[in-house]
Amino acid sequence: MVYSGYELIWLFFIYSFLGWVLETVIAALKKKQMTNRGVINAPLCISYGITMALITVIGQELTPFWLFCGATVIATVVEWIAGHFIEIAYHERWWDYSKVKWNLDGYICLPVSLAWGALGTVCMLWGNELIIDLFRLMPDFIDRLVVWICIVASLLDILATLILIYGKSRYASRWREIDNWFTSLSRRLGRSLYDHVNHRIEKAYPQKKKVFVAAKDPTVFAAGCSPYKLVWMFIIGAVLGDVFEIFFCRATQGIWMSRSSLVWGQFSIVWGFALAAATALLHRCLDRSDSFLFITGTVLGGVYEYLCSVLSEIVFGTVFWDYSKLPFNLGGRINLLYCFFWGFAAVLWIRVLYPPLSSWIEKFPKRPGKFLTWCLIVFFLCDGIVSAAALVRSDERANGIEATESWQQLMDSWYDDETLAQIYPNAIRVE
């Protein structure tokens, strides 16, 4: 079954709500009282929605066995990321599997991961069809209106929750100063929301534990694993990944070819996001063994590369690599050898490259460093928008769609098929 964007968003919200119901019922059975288990105020467990949306996107072409494997890995990765995100945001641990065999950091464990995989497989094979049938029963205008109402309400809820989170943790004193500027009614409302979220979290997660977070030097640019540092890791990873692939193609195929993901400059977005994510997830694993980093990098890299391949095909009608001629491949999207490359890259990055690069970045002067970082963010956003527009227009040209809008004519003039063939020599258009 092929799903539209609205249908995928609908699946996200329905599974988020069903996940909230499941978590709330489990908590009620354990504590003998009803508690809200959602991270945000709305009755949604968004990790369930994200997990099922990802499983739906990548699992449509998989056999039941590979679907179970994929669902297990995706659910495990999402749970692991969610646990670390909560730890970073709240400085707390909301669940702990450290007493269960075969656990990792106490956030994931093999028995629970297998259960998530089975649940995801069942939902993919039977649940999705029922939920989408209910969505399609609504008139076109009503179903899209419902989706947009859910999106706006959730964004407002998330924004309010983030304000409370940061007021609770890093910026408590500044939050109190800003709070004095509001009227007495605004203060009462803010405190009421703060107390509600904090009280609900304490009730819903009795196992939560405080996590010590080392204080950061305010005079150091991009101290620790800050957003500024992750931006720089993304940029460095995009450059290094592109250079590596260029020389790899030269060594294996005997030719020089562009491996860039963008139309301006030589940057591999796949590698950039991968190394930024590896930094965020693994920067505290310097004391773990090389085998742990290798296995983690192999699994996460394989899932990430598979997801990138599926999304590029869905969005642009194009795949940028094809491993179908290599042994041990899965749908031509990933293969065992290149998954091992991700594992080696994880070890090399965390053990060798990240520590000196992190130290080098922190030596930047603070204000110029922030200014330069934002300039680069704006550049990459513009580069990404233009690149996406060029690829979308390329797909439209292949489908015989005439250039009636000004942006379409501009893309035809700047990035015709010949130009894009030079930038993306391995791109393969698919139906």
Side-chain angles (χ1 to χ4, degrees), residues 257-301:
M257 72 166 63
S258 171
R259 300 298 298 163
S260 177
S261 306
L262 303 174
V263 294
W264 300 341
Q266 293 296 315
F267 305 106
S268 174
I269 297 301
V270 174
W271 278 94
F273 280 119
L275 293 185
T279 300
L281 294 174
L282 302 176
H283 72 281
R284 291 178 297 179
C285 297
L286 293 174
D287 59 337
R288 303 300 292 265
S289 65
D290 290 346
S291 59
F292 166 80
L293 294 174
F294 175 78
I295 294 173
T296 304
T298 299
V299 174
L300 294 181

mmCIF file of all heavy atoms in Angstrom, residues 257-301:
data_model
loop_
_atom_site.group_PDB
_atom_site.id
_atom_site.type_symbol
_atom_site.label_atom_id
_atom_site.label_comp_id
_atom_site.label_asym_id
_atom_site.label_seq_id
_atom_site.Cartn_x
_atom_site.Cartn_y
_atom_site.Cartn_z
ATOM 1 N N MET A 257 34.512 11.054 -9.567
ATOM 2 C CA MET A 257 33.103 11.427 -9.739
ATOM 3 C C MET A 257 32.624 12.216 -8.532
ATOM 4 O O MET A 257 33.141 12.069 -7.424
ATOM 5 C CB MET A 257 32.217 10.196 -9.935
ATOM 6 C CG MET A 257 32.013 9.344 -8.708
ATOM 7 S SD MET A 257 30.652 8.153 -8.896
ATOM 8 C CE MET A 257 31.263 7.143 -10.232
ATOM 9 N N SER A 258 31.654 13.078 -8.778
ATOM 10 C CA SER A 258 31.063 13.864 -7.707
ATOM 11 C C SER A 258 30.252 12.954 -6.796
ATOM 12 O O SER A 258 29.488 12.111 -7.252
ATOM 13 C CB SER A 258 30.159 14.955 -8.283
ATOM 14 O OG SER A 258 29.421 15.591 -7.256
ATOM 15 N N ARG A 259 30.404 13.151 -5.487
ATOM 16 C CA ARG A 259 29.622 12.387 -4.519
ATOM 17 C C ARG A 259 28.836 13.328 -3.607
ATOM 18 O O ARG A 259 28.387 12.934 -2.537
ATOM 19 C CB ARG A 259 30.546 11.507 -3.669
ATOM 20 C CG ARG A 259 31.344 10.498 -4.467
ATOM 21 C CD ARG A 259 30.435 9.520 -5.175
ATOM 22 N NE ARG A 259 29.650 8.743 -4.228
ATOM 23 C CZ ARG A 259 28.566 8.067 -4.553
ATOM 24 N NH1 ARG A 259 28.096 8.130 -5.794
ATOM 25 N NH2 ARG A 259 27.927 7.360 -3.641
ATOM 26 N N SER A 260 28.667 14.571 -4.036
ATOM 27 C CA SER A 260 27.998 15.567 -3.218
ATOM 28 C C SER A 260 26.493 15.322 -3.166
ATOM 29 O O SER A 260 25.890 14.830 -4.125
ATOM 30 C CB SER A 260 28.270 16.969 -3.758
ATOM 31 O OG SER A 260 27.578 17.946 -3.008
ATOM 32 N N SER A 261 25.892 15.700 -2.049
ATOM 33 C CA SER A 261 24.436 15.642 -1.909
ATOM 34 C C SER A 261 23.781 16.954 -2.293
ATOM 35 O O SER A 261 22.564 17.012 -2.447
ATOM 36 C CB SER A 261 24.054 15.313 -0.460
ATOM 37 O OG SER A 261 24.682 14.143 -0.007
ATOM 38 N N LEU A 262 24.582 18.017 -2.438
ATOM 39 C CA LEU A 262 24.061 19.350 -2.681
ATOM 40 C C LEU A 262 24.618 19.910 -3.979
ATOM 41 O O LEU A 262 25.665 19.478 -4.462
ATOM 42 C CB LEU A 262 24.418 20.280 -1.516
ATOM 43 C CG LEU A 262 23.932 19.834 -0.127
ATOM 44 C CD1 LEU A 262 24.482 20.757 0.949
ATOM 45 C CD2 LEU A 262 22.416 19.811 -0.074
ATOM 46 N N VAL A 263 23.931 20.909 -4.523
ATOM 47 C CA VAL A 263 24.346 21.484 -5.805
ATOM 48 C C VAL A 263 25.446 22.520 -5.634
ATOM 49 O O VAL A 263 26.167 22.826 -6.585
ATOM 50 C CB VAL A 263 23.138 22.111 -6.538
ATOM 51 C CG1 VAL A 263 22.139 21.033 -6.932
ATOM 52 C CG2 VAL A 263 22.454 23.177 -5.683
ATOM 53 N N TRP A 264 25.567 23.089 -4.448
ATOM 54 C CA TRP A 264 26.642 24.056 -4.182
ATOM 55 C C TRP A 264 27.674 23.414 -3.268
ATOM 56 O O TRP A 264 27.431 23.163 -2.092
ATOM 57 C CB TRP A 264 26.100 25.309 -3.491
ATOM 58 C CG TRP A 264 25.055 26.055 -4.268
ATOM 59 C CD1 TRP A 264 24.797 25.973 -5.606
ATOM 60 C CD2 TRP A 264 24.117 27.007 -3.733
ATOM 61 N NE1 TRP A 264 23.761 26.803 -5.953
ATOM 62 C CE2 TRP A 264 23.326 27.459 -4.834
ATOM 63 C CE3 TRP A 264 23.862 27.526 -2.473
ATOM 64 C CZ2 TRP A 264 22.304 28.389 -4.676
ATOM 65 C CZ3 TRP A 264 22.857 28.455 -2.312
ATOM 66 C CH2 TRP A 264 22.095 28.882 -3.405
ATOM 67 N N GLY A 265 28.837 23.146 -3.796
ATOM 68 C CA GLY A 265 29.911 22.618 -2.972
ATOM 69 C C GLY A 265 29.895 21.104 -2.875
ATOM 70 O O GLY A 265 28.931 20.438 -3.248
ATOM 71 N N GLN A 266 31.005 20.580 -2.353
ATOM 72 C CA GLN A 266 31.164 19.145 -2.192
ATOM 73 C C GLN A 266 30.864 18.766 -0.744
ATOM 74 O O GLN A 266 31.735 18.784 0.126
ATOM 75 C CB GLN A 266 32.586 18.724 -2.577
ATOM 76 C CG GLN A 266 32.898 18.897 -4.047
ATOM 77 C CD GLN A 266 32.037 17.989 -4.918
ATOM 78 O OE1 GLN A 266 31.858 16.818 -4.634
ATOM 79 N NE2 GLN A 266 31.488 18.551 -5.987
ATOM 80 N N PHE A 267 29.597 18.414 -0.491
ATOM 81 C CA PHE A 267 29.157 18.055 0.851
ATOM 82 C C PHE A 267 28.273 16.825 0.769
ATOM 83 O O PHE A 267 27.327 16.792 -0.010
ATOM 84 C CB PHE A 267 28.379 19.197 1.506
ATOM 85 C CG PHE A 267 29.112 20.506 1.543
ATOM 86 C CD1 PHE A 267 28.753 21.536 0.680
ATOM 87 C CD2 PHE A 267 30.148 20.705 2.437
ATOM 88 C CE1 PHE A 267 29.421 22.737 0.704
ATOM 89 C CE2 PHE A 267 30.825 21.918 2.467
ATOM 90 C CZ PHE A 267 30.465 22.938 1.595
ATOM 91 N N SER A 268 28.571 15.837 1.589
ATOM 92 C CA SER A 268 27.737 14.642 1.682
ATOM 93 C C SER A 268 26.842 14.777 2.905
ATOM 94 O O SER A 268 27.293 14.616 4.051
ATOM 95 C CB SER A 268 28.595 13.379 1.799
ATOM 96 O OG SER A 268 27.784 12.246 2.027
ATOM 97 N N ILE A 269 25.569 15.112 2.663
ATOM 98 C CA ILE A 269 24.632 15.313 3.764
ATOM 99 C C ILE A 269 24.441 14.019 4.553
ATOM 100 O O ILE A 269 24.260 14.035 5.774
ATOM 101 C CB ILE A 269 23.290 15.818 3.219
ATOM 102 C CG1 ILE A 269 23.491 17.173 2.542
ATOM 103 C CG2 ILE A 269 22.262 15.942 4.332
ATOM 104 C CD1 ILE A 269 24.053 18.228 3.464
ATOM 105 N N VAL A 270 24.468 12.883 3.864
ATOM 106 C CA VAL A 270 24.301 11.598 4.550
ATOM 107 C C VAL A 270 25.384 11.419 5.604
ATOM 108 O O VAL A 270 25.109 11.051 6.756
ATOM 109 C CB VAL A 270 24.316 10.442 3.532
ATOM 110 C CG1 VAL A 270 24.302 9.095 4.243
ATOM 111 C CG2 VAL A 270 23.123 10.548 2.586
ATOM 112 N N TRP A 271 26.625 11.689 5.229
ATOM 113 C CA TRP A 271 27.719 11.559 6.185
ATOM 114 C C TRP A 271 27.642 12.643 7.255
ATOM 115 O O TRP A 271 27.956 12.389 8.432
ATOM 116 C CB TRP A 271 29.066 11.649 5.457
ATOM 117 C CG TRP A 271 29.503 10.377 4.827
ATOM 118 C CD1 TRP A 271 29.299 9.992 3.539
ATOM 119 C CD2 TRP A 271 30.217 9.312 5.454
ATOM 120 N NE1 TRP A 271 29.840 8.751 3.309
ATOM 121 C CE2 TRP A 271 30.416 8.309 4.467
ATOM 122 C CE3 TRP A 271 30.707 9.102 6.730
ATOM 123 C CZ2 TRP A 271 31.082 7.116 4.744
ATOM 124 C CZ3 TRP A 271 31.374 7.917 7.002
ATOM 125 C CH2 TRP A 271 31.555 6.941 6.012
ATOM 126 N N GLY A 272 27.244 13.848 6.886
ATOM 127 C CA GLY A 272 27.159 14.934 7.861
ATOM 128 C C GLY A 272 26.195 14.624 8.976
ATOM 129 O O GLY A 272 26.541 14.732 10.167
ATOM 130 N N PHE A 273 24.974 14.221 8.614
ATOM 131 C CA PHE A 273 23.983 13.876 9.641
ATOM 132 C C PHE A 273 24.430 12.647 10.434
ATOM 133 O O PHE A 273 24.188 12.560 11.646
ATOM 134 C CB PHE A 273 22.621 13.625 8.999
ATOM 135 C CG PHE A 273 21.871 14.880 8.678
ATOM 136 C CD1 PHE A 273 21.517 15.181 7.382
ATOM 137 C CD2 PHE A 273 21.522 15.768 9.681
ATOM 138 C CE1 PHE A 273 20.827 16.348 7.080
ATOM 139 C CE2 PHE A 273 20.835 16.937 9.397
ATOM 140 C CZ PHE A 273 20.485 17.232 8.090
ATOM 141 N N ALA A 274 25.070 11.693 9.748
ATOM 142 C CA ALA A 274 25.496 10.467 10.432
ATOM 143 C C ALA A 274 26.525 10.771 11.523
ATOM 144 O O ALA A 274 26.407 10.278 12.649
ATOM 145 C CB ALA A 274 26.069 9.478 9.418
ATOM 146 N N LEU A 275 27.522 11.582 11.203
ATOM 147 C CA LEU A 275 28.564 11.860 12.188
ATOM 148 C C LEU A 275 28.065 12.800 13.276
ATOM 149 O O LEU A 275 28.516 12.701 14.430
ATOM 150 C CB LEU A 275 29.790 12.447 11.487
ATOM 151 C CG LEU A 275 30.508 11.473 10.545
ATOM 152 C CD1 LEU A 275 31.779 12.094 9.996
ATOM 153 C CD2 LEU A 275 30.839 10.170 11.255
ATOM 154 N N ALA A 276 27.147 13.702 12.953
ATOM 155 C CA ALA A 276 26.560 14.543 13.995
ATOM 156 C C ALA A 276 25.740 13.678 14.956
ATOM 157 O O ALA A 276 25.813 13.850 16.184
ATOM 158 C CB ALA A 276 25.691 15.628 13.376
ATOM 159 N N ALA A 277 24.962 12.743 14.405
ATOM 160 C CA ALA A 277 24.170 11.847 15.251
ATOM 161 C C ALA A 277 25.070 10.937 16.077
ATOM 162 O O ALA A 277 24.803 10.684 17.264
ATOM 163 C CB ALA A 277 23.223 11.015 14.387
ATOM 164 N N ALA A 278 26.146 10.413 15.452
ATOM 165 C CA ALA A 278 27.084 9.562 16.193
ATOM 166 C C ALA A 278 27.728 10.329 17.339
ATOM 167 O O ALA A 278 27.928 9.786 18.429
ATOM 168 C CB ALA A 278 28.156 9.026 15.237
ATOM 169 N N THR A 279 28.026 11.599 17.107
ATOM 170 C CA THR A 279 28.601 12.426 18.169
ATOM 171 C C THR A 279 27.624 12.594 19.322
ATOM 172 O O THR A 279 27.990 12.451 20.494
ATOM 173 C CB THR A 279 28.981 13.811 17.615
ATOM 174 O OG1 THR A 279 29.937 13.654 16.561
ATOM 175 C CG2 THR A 279 29.579 14.681 18.709
ATOM 176 N N ALA A 280 26.360 12.888 18.986
ATOM 177 C CA ALA A 280 25.353 13.110 20.031
ATOM 178 C C ALA A 280 25.104 11.847 20.842
ATOM 179 O O ALA A 280 24.921 11.915 22.064
ATOM 180 C CB ALA A 280 24.054 13.603 19.397
ATOM 181 N N LEU A 281 25.107 10.688 20.170
ATOM 182 C CA LEU A 281 24.755 9.446 20.848
ATOM 183 C C LEU A 281 25.941 8.756 21.514
ATOM 184 O O LEU A 281 25.776 8.077 22.522
ATOM 185 C CB LEU A 281 24.100 8.480 19.852
ATOM 186 C CG LEU A 281 22.749 8.907 19.290
ATOM 187 C CD1 LEU A 281 22.295 7.927 18.210
ATOM 188 C CD2 LEU A 281 21.706 9.001 20.390
ATOM 189 N N LEU A 282 27.132 8.915 20.934
ATOM 190 C CA LEU A 282 28.267 8.096 21.376
ATOM 191 C C LEU A 282 29.394 8.891 22.018
ATOM 192 O O LEU A 282 30.413 8.295 22.381
ATOM 193 C CB LEU A 282 28.834 7.298 20.192
ATOM 194 C CG LEU A 282 27.855 6.350 19.476
ATOM 195 C CD1 LEU A 282 28.539 5.716 18.269
ATOM 196 C CD2 LEU A 282 27.352 5.279 20.433
ATOM 197 N N HIS A 283 29.251 10.214 22.167
ATOM 198 C CA HIS A 283 30.386 10.983 22.678
ATOM 199 C C HIS A 283 30.729 10.632 24.118
ATOM 200 O O HIS A 283 31.841 10.897 24.583
ATOM 201 C CB HIS A 283 30.100 12.490 22.561
ATOM 202 C CG HIS A 283 29.080 12.991 23.544
ATOM 203 N ND1 HIS A 283 27.721 12.823 23.361
ATOM 204 C CD2 HIS A 283 29.224 13.647 24.729
ATOM 205 C CE1 HIS A 283 27.076 13.369 24.376
ATOM 206 N NE2 HIS A 283 27.948 13.862 25.214
ATOM 207 N N ARG A 284 29.769 10.026 24.835
ATOM 208 C CA ARG A 284 30.046 9.613 26.213
ATOM 209 C C ARG A 284 30.489 8.158 26.303
ATOM 210 O O ARG A 284 30.559 7.600 27.400
ATOM 211 C CB ARG A 284 28.801 9.824 27.076
ATOM 212 C CG ARG A 284 28.467 11.301 27.290
ATOM 213 C CD ARG A 284 27.210 11.469 28.109
ATOM 214 N NE ARG A 284 26.042 10.935 27.449
ATOM 215 C CZ ARG A 284 24.810 10.942 27.966
ATOM 216 N NH1 ARG A 284 24.622 11.448 29.167
ATOM 217 N NH2 ARG A 284 23.794 10.445 27.299
ATOM 218 N N CYS A 285 30.772 7.550 25.164
ATOM 219 C CA CYS A 285 31.148 6.131 25.145
ATOM 220 C C CYS A 285 32.636 5.935 24.933
ATOM 221 O O CYS A 285 33.064 4.898 24.412
ATOM 222 C CB CYS A 285 30.361 5.400 24.054
ATOM 223 S SG CYS A 285 28.578 5.371 24.298
ATOM 224 N N LEU A 286 33.434 6.933 25.311
ATOM 225 C CA LEU A 286 34.879 6.801 25.124
ATOM 226 C C LEU A 286 35.464 5.672 25.951
ATOM 227 O O LEU A 286 36.523 5.124 25.621
ATOM 228 C CB LEU A 286 35.567 8.126 25.481
ATOM 229 C CG LEU A 286 35.274 9.313 24.549
ATOM 230 C CD1 LEU A 286 35.888 10.596 25.103
ATOM 231 C CD2 LEU A 286 35.816 9.027 23.152
ATOM 232 N N ASP A 287 34.772 5.318 27.038
ATOM 233 C CA ASP A 287 35.279 4.243 27.892
ATOM 234 C C ASP A 287 34.760 2.876 27.476
ATOM 235 O O ASP A 287 35.123 1.862 28.087
ATOM 236 C CB ASP A 287 34.914 4.509 29.350
ATOM 237 C CG ASP A 287 33.411 4.621 29.557
ATOM 238 O OD1 ASP A 287 32.698 4.932 28.576
ATOM 239 O OD2 ASP A 287 32.956 4.405 30.698
ATOM 240 N N ARG A 288 33.890 2.824 26.440
ATOM 241 C CA ARG A 288 33.375 1.538 25.979
ATOM 242 C C ARG A 288 34.366 0.899 25.016
ATOM 243 O O ARG A 288 35.241 1.551 24.446
ATOM 244 C CB ARG A 288 32.017 1.715 25.291
ATOM 245 C CG ARG A 288 30.954 2.370 26.146
ATOM 246 C CD ARG A 288 30.646 1.576 27.410
ATOM 247 N NE ARG A 288 29.996 0.324 27.107
ATOM 248 C CZ ARG A 288 28.682 0.146 27.115
ATOM 249 N NH1 ARG A 288 27.873 1.161 27.415
ATOM 250 N NH2 ARG A 288 28.151 -1.034 26.862
ATOM 251 N N SER A 289 34.208 -0.397 24.801
ATOM 252 C CA SER A 289 35.151 -1.144 23.972
ATOM 253 C C SER A 289 34.972 -0.792 22.494
ATOM 254 O O SER A 289 33.922 -0.298 22.069
ATOM 255 C CB SER A 289 34.941 -2.645 24.170
ATOM 256 O OG SER A 289 33.657 -3.032 23.698
ATOM 257 N N ASP A 290 36.028 -1.086 21.728
ATOM 258 C CA ASP A 290 35.946 -0.862 20.283
ATOM 259 C C ASP A 290 34.884 -1.755 19.644
ATOM 260 O O ASP A 290 34.227 -1.350 18.670
ATOM 261 C CB ASP A 290 37.310 -1.137 19.635
ATOM 262 C CG ASP A 290 38.336 -0.083 19.992
ATOM 263 O OD1 ASP A 290 37.937 0.981 20.512
ATOM 264 O OD2 ASP A 290 39.541 -0.325 19.760
ATOM 265 N N SER A 291 34.712 -2.960 20.171
ATOM 266 C CA SER A 291 33.704 -3.862 19.609
ATOM 267 C C SER A 291 32.304 -3.293 19.806
ATOM 268 O O SER A 291 31.444 -3.406 18.919
ATOM 269 C CB SER A 291 33.810 -5.245 20.257
ATOM 270 O OG SER A 291 33.620 -5.173 21.658
ATOM 271 N N PHE A 292 32.058 -2.659 20.961
ATOM 272 C CA PHE A 292 30.765 -2.024 21.186
ATOM 273 C C PHE A 292 30.528 -0.911 20.168
ATOM 274 O O PHE A 292 29.454 -0.817 19.569
ATOM 275 C CB PHE A 292 30.700 -1.460 22.605
ATOM 276 C CG PHE A 292 29.556 -0.512 22.829
ATOM 277 C CD1 PHE A 292 28.280 -0.991 23.075
ATOM 278 C CD2 PHE A 292 29.765 0.866 22.780
ATOM 279 C CE1 PHE A 292 27.222 -0.110 23.278
ATOM 280 C CE2 PHE A 292 28.714 1.742 22.982
ATOM 281 C CZ PHE A 292 27.438 1.249 23.223
ATOM 282 N N LEU A 293 31.517 -0.049 19.969
ATOM 283 C CA LEU A 293 31.375 1.044 18.997
ATOM 284 C C LEU A 293 31.192 0.504 17.592
ATOM 285 O O LEU A 293 30.381 1.038 16.809
ATOM 286 C CB LEU A 293 32.607 1.952 19.061
ATOM 287 C CG LEU A 293 32.814 2.739 20.358
ATOM 288 C CD1 LEU A 293 34.142 3.481 20.318
ATOM 289 C CD2 LEU A 293 31.671 3.709 20.588
ATOM 290 N N PHE A 294 31.905 -0.564 17.252
ATOM 291 C CA PHE A 294 31.804 -1.132 15.904
ATOM 292 C C PHE A 294 30.415 -1.712 15.663
ATOM 293 O O PHE A 294 29.793 -1.444 14.625
ATOM 294 C CB PHE A 294 32.870 -2.217 15.720
ATOM 295 C CG PHE A 294 32.765 -2.947 14.409
ATOM 296 C CD1 PHE A 294 33.218 -2.374 13.238
ATOM 297 C CD2 PHE A 294 32.197 -4.217 14.350
ATOM 298 C CE1 PHE A 294 33.115 -3.037 12.025
ATOM 299 C CE2 PHE A 294 32.087 -4.888 13.150
ATOM 300 C CZ PHE A 294 32.552 -4.295 11.979
ATOM 301 N N ILE A 295 29.927 -2.514 16.602
ATOM 302 C CA ILE A 295 28.602 -3.128 16.423
ATOM 303 C C ILE A 295 27.519 -2.057 16.392
ATOM 304 O O ILE A 295 26.610 -2.087 15.549
ATOM 305 C CB ILE A 295 28.333 -4.144 17.548
ATOM 306 C CG1 ILE A 295 29.309 -5.324 17.440
ATOM 307 C CG2 ILE A 295 26.896 -4.646 17.494
ATOM 308 C CD1 ILE A 295 29.240 -6.293 18.601
ATOM 309 N N THR A 296 27.607 -1.087 17.295
ATOM 310 C CA THR A 296 26.620 -0.005 17.321
ATOM 311 C C THR A 296 26.639 0.782 16.022
ATOM 312 O O THR A 296 25.586 1.093 15.446
ATOM 313 C CB THR A 296 26.891 0.927 18.510
ATOM 314 O OG1 THR A 296 26.889 0.170 19.733
ATOM 315 C CG2 THR A 296 25.841 2.011 18.593
ATOM 316 N N GLY A 297 27.844 1.121 15.540
ATOM 317 C CA GLY A 297 27.947 1.859 14.292
ATOM 318 C C GLY A 297 27.445 1.066 13.105
ATOM 319 O O GLY A 297 26.807 1.622 12.195
ATOM 320 N N THR A 298 27.701 -0.238 13.088
ATOM 321 C CA THR A 298 27.240 -1.088 11.989
ATOM 322 C C THR A 298 25.718 -1.117 11.918
ATOM 323 O O THR A 298 25.115 -0.941 10.856
ATOM 324 C CB THR A 298 27.783 -2.515 12.158
ATOM 325 O OG1 THR A 298 29.215 -2.492 12.131
ATOM 326 C CG2 THR A 298 27.278 -3.418 11.045
ATOM 327 N N VAL A 299 25.074 -1.339 13.067
ATOM 328 C CA VAL A 299 23.607 -1.436 13.100
ATOM 329 C C VAL A 299 22.967 -0.089 12.798
ATOM 330 O O VAL A 299 22.091 0.033 11.927
ATOM 331 C CB VAL A 299 23.140 -1.968 14.461
ATOM 332 C CG1 VAL A 299 21.610 -1.929 14.545
ATOM 333 C CG2 VAL A 299 23.643 -3.388 14.677
ATOM 334 N N LEU A 300 23.396 0.953 13.518
ATOM 335 C CA LEU A 300 22.800 2.274 13.314
ATOM 336 C C LEU A 300 23.074 2.795 11.904
ATOM 337 O O LEU A 300 22.201 3.400 11.274
ATOM 338 C CB LEU A 300 23.347 3.261 14.348
ATOM 339 C CG LEU A 300 22.983 2.994 15.813
ATOM 340 C CD1 LEU A 300 23.578 4.074 16.700
ATOM 341 C CD2 LEU A 300 21.476 2.945 15.986
ATOM 342 N N GLY A 301 24.284 2.562 11.411
ATOM 343 C CA GLY A 301 24.611 3.017 10.051
ATOM 344 C C GLY A 301 23.782 2.319 8.997
ATOM 345 O O GLY A 301 23.333 2.951 8.031
#
